[in-house]
Amino acid sequence: MVANPSTLPTVVPVGDNPTPIWGMTNAERLRRMAVARKLRFGEAVGDDVLLANLAFAFDPSWLPHLLGRPGTVLTRAGVPVLGHVAAGDAERVKAAMLADRPVALDGLAVIEAEDENGIFNEALRKRERPFADRLTPASVPAIERASYTGAYKGVTDLLTKYLWPEWALWLTRLCARAGISPNQVTAIGSVLCIVATIAFWYGWFWSGLAIGLVFMVLDTVDGKLARCTITSSALGNAWDHGVDLVHPPFWWWAWATGCAAYGRPLDHDTFVAVIAAMLFGYVAQRLIEGAFIARFGMHIHVWERFDSRFRLVTARRNPNMVILFAGLLIGRPDWGIVAVAVWTMLSLVVHLVRLGQAMAAKARGRRIVSWLA
């Protein structure tokens, strides 16, 4: 059941802060957070309010966390940062925020932002420590880094995790300050994705890899930018995920075709076997992931530690590109695409076994939960 907006608390900004974050004022950032949660923003309406101290910047996940906890105040060094309180308590909490001092907590529960235990994210089924820090010009880089790091809390591949986080952070900051929207980044990336496909088709593998690398970094940037600037949209989400879902098989087909132009053609039977294995393996793995989510309410890659580690190298686009790069380094792009096909089938077997193990464990009465919890 969807909650009636009239029964939800109003998000009320307290104080003022001229220090910009992600190219906007803290008040505008707070307004976007409220709109994203379909909450009223501005002057208090009704008997329930969410007071937000603009002297601090906090992770958006704090908002839904306190939304379900009336009579609770989030503090940093004792000073209230965010408070979900009744109208009768609002004035003393607001006064403490404006005076930058601890609040008398009579009748209120308190969550300390410094608590090492953090909070449990129900949506992601994991424990985390969202940030809540004083916003000053000196603290902006650290807060933006924390915001960027927290913008995607799932598990990912080795390139996204280790190779280009700093590049993507720099580009995300640049786009935010220049007013470039996530959808504009996605549009640029989509064009580069098509250009890379053409380059692979004609055997221009080094050019295609360079263009593809830029696209893959931008594929990280658009999502990070949307979350950091709180400008996610249904169109952007569908566009980004649609491109991610559709283009990999075309890249592999183009690479296999381009081997002939490069001078290392695949014979007919090998070409057919490679494409069949990669298409079947790609679709089947996606179906297994969907089946795991449908049955257990979480992604297969967050079940046990092994699954998160395997996600680093499983046969998705980025790890596959590492294999193709290695083959090209020794002048054998044909070996590279064959290796990707073999790795795709091996990854499929691993996922199929893990789905079967989870189903068997549940049948024995074991509760299937994420190890990240």
Side-chain angles (χ1 to χ4, degrees):
M1 180 179 293
V2 179
N4 185 342
S6 64
T7 66
L8 296 174
T10 304
V11 177
V12 179
V14 178
D16 189 24
N17 194 337
T19 303
I21 175 174
W22 292 119
M24 66 187 122
T25 65
N26 202 21
E28 172 59 18
R29 180 173 182 267
L30 179 64
R31 186 195 68 79
R32 293 183 186 183
M33 282 193 277
V35 170
R37 291 283 167 182
K38 295 181 171 54
L39 300 173
R40 294 184 299 268
F41 178 81
E43 293 297 323
V45 176
D47 296 328
D48 213 14
V49 294
L50 262 171
L51 300 175
N53 190 345
L54 293 182
F56 295 83
F58 56 86
D59 191 292
S61 63
W62 280 117
L63 212 58
H65 189 73
L66 261 69
L67 194 61
R69 292 167 174 79
T72 302
V73 177
L74 169 70
T75 65
R76 165 66 71 176
V79 178
V81 174
L82 189 65
H84 183 183
V85 296
D89 296 313
E91 284 305 315
R92 63 183 167 110
V93 175
K94 181 178 179 180
M97 289 179 172
L98 292 172
D100 198 34
R101 59 172 172 76
V103 63
L105 295 172
D106 299 340
L108 296 176
V110 63
I111 299 175
E112 296 178 349
E114 302 92 336
D115 188 350
E116 293 287 339
N117 291 322
I119 63 174
F120 186 76
N121 188 314
E122 294 287 350
L124 296 175
R125 303 290 186 87
K126 65 181 288 189
R127 187 161 289 280
E128 59 188 16
R129 288 192 63 199
F131 71 91
D133 296 298
R134 190 174 293 276
L135 179 62
T136 66
S139 69
V140 167
I143 291 176
E144 287 188 342
R145 181 176 292 275
S147 173
Y148 172 88
T149 302
Y152 179 75
K153 303 180 176 73
V155 294
T156 188
D157 62 87
L158 75 172
L159 294 185
T160 304
K161 186 176 179 67
Y162 298 115
L163 180 60
W164 59 64
E166 289 300 317
W167 310 348
L169 171 59
W170 183 83
L171 286 170
T172 301
R173 280 175 169 158
L174 178 65
C175 291
R177 284 157 176 69
I180 299 173
S181 72
N183 285 352
Q184 288 172 328
V185 175
T186 303
I188 295 170
S190 298
V191 172
L192 293 178
C193 178
I194 295 170
V195 173
T197 306
I198 295 170
F200 293 151
W201 189 273
Y202 285 100
W204 305 330
F205 293 129
W206 286 113
S207 297
L209 282 174
I211 296 166
L213 177 62
V214 177
F215 159 66
M216 290 188 291
V217 174
L218 292 182
D219 189 37
T220 295
V221 171
D222 57 7
K224 293 283 193 179
L225 182 63
R227 294 181 183 95
C228 289
T229 60
I230 316 171
T231 51
S232 298
S233 66
L235 171 63
N237 186 60
W239 186 357
D240 183 30
H241 285 83
V243 171
D244 288 348
L245 187 65
V246 169
H247 83 271
F250 288 97
W251 274 19
W252 315 144
W253 194 305
W255 189 285
T257 301
C259 285
Y262 186 85
R264 295 288 185 178
L266 300 172
D267 63 68
H268 178 267
D269 290 344
T270 302
F271 182 92
V272 171
V274 163
I275 297 303
M278 298 183 74
L279 288 176
F280 175 76
Y282 179 75
V283 173
Q285 285 182 88
R286 291 290 188 171
L287 291 175
I288 289 171
E289 292 172 10
F292 200 97
I293 292 172
R295 188 165 183 86
F296 303 111
M298 64 182 182
H299 204 284
I300 192 171
H301 294 130
V302 299
W303 176 28
E304 294 182 336
R305 190 183 297 270
F306 166 82
D307 303 294
S308 294
R309 288 176 174 171
F310 189 68
R311 175 64 179 88
L312 291 170
V313 296
T314 193
R316 291 279 191 95
R317 179 197 63 202
N318 292 357
N320 286 350
M321 293 304 290
V322 174
I323 297 173
L324 293 177
F325 174 72
L328 194 58
L329 275 179
I330 60 174
R332 297 305 301 258
D334 53 332
W335 290 359
I337 196 66
V338 170
V340 167
V342 172
W343 182 235
T344 298
M345 295 308 294
L346 289 174
S347 295
L348 171 59
V349 171
V350 171
H351 283 94
L352 192 59
V353 168
R354 294 301 287 162
L355 175 61
Q357 289 176 329
M359 293 174 67
K362 185 174 182 179
R364 293 193 301 268
R366 177 182 166 189
R367 184 164 171 255
I368 305 300
V369 296
S370 170
W371 74 276
L372 294 170

